[in-house]
Amino acid sequence: CSASTNKPVLTLFTKKPCPLCDEAKEVLEPYKRRFILQEVDITLPENTAWYDKYKYDIPVFHLNGRFLMKHRVNIQKFEDQLRKLELQSE
């Protein structure tokens, strides 16, 4: 099925522990078949640039490499952007 390769990638910038990140993942659970979730642990040595940028803002979400939202999930914004990407890939 080629549709799966066209799924948008939602990148979650996170660290452990991150209760807000856990909460965000729960909110996104109903949508999980429509995107690929990629988690980036900003505390890892290879992610220092992200750590410097987002250490006070996690969770931070990028959709297909572009900044989408931070702190809390804005479902309306997420759905709008996801739908836009899905329409583009059809």
Side-chain angles (χ1 to χ4, degrees), residues 64-81:
N64 276 4
R66 296 180 56 200
F67 175 82
L68 181 65
M69 56 194 168
K70 64 183 179 183
H71 302 152
R72 297 203 176 278
V73 173
N74 177 336
I75 279 296
Q76 192 58 58
K77 185 174 189 180
F78 174 68
E79 251 188 274
D80 291 348
Q81 293 301 317

Side-chain angles (χ1 to χ4, degrees), residues 21-36:
C21 302
D22 298 336
E23 189 181 302
K25 284 191 276 191
E26 277 175 39
V27 172
L28 292 167
E29 184 70 20
Y31 300 90
K32 73 171 191 236
R33 286 186 309 282
R34 293 169 59 193
F35 64 88
I36 296 161

Side-chain angles (χ1 to χ4, degrees), residues 5-88:
T5 59
N6 290 339
K7 279 188 192 172
V9 175
L10 184 69
T11 307
L12 164 61
F13 294 91
T14 184
K15 65 181 179 186
K16 301 254 186 285
C18 178
L20 281 178
C21 302
D22 298 336
E23 189 181 302
K25 284 191 276 191
E26 277 175 39
V27 172
L28 292 167
E29 184 70 20
Y31 300 90
K32 73 171 191 236
R33 286 186 309 282
R34 293 169 59 193
F35 64 88
I36 296 161
L37 181 66
Q38 178 184 45
E39 292 189 42
V40 175
D41 184 339
I42 64 169
T43 63
L44 296 177
E46 64 267 27
N47 296 329
T48 52
W50 294 118
Y51 180 80
D52 293 342
K53 192 169 186 176
Y54 293 141
K55 62 185 165 210
Y56 302 119
D57 288 320
I58 60 164
V60 175
F61 294 93
H62 285 196
L63 190 59
N64 276 4
R66 296 180 56 200
F67 175 82
L68 181 65
M69 56 194 168
K70 64 183 179 183
H71 302 152
R72 297 203 176 278
V73 173
N74 177 336
I75 279 296
Q76 192 58 58
K77 185 174 189 180
F78 174 68
E79 251 188 274
D80 291 348
Q81 293 301 317
L82 192 59
R83 194 169 301 119
K84 218 178 274 184
L85 289 169
E86 287 169 344
L87 291 170
Q88 284 171 5

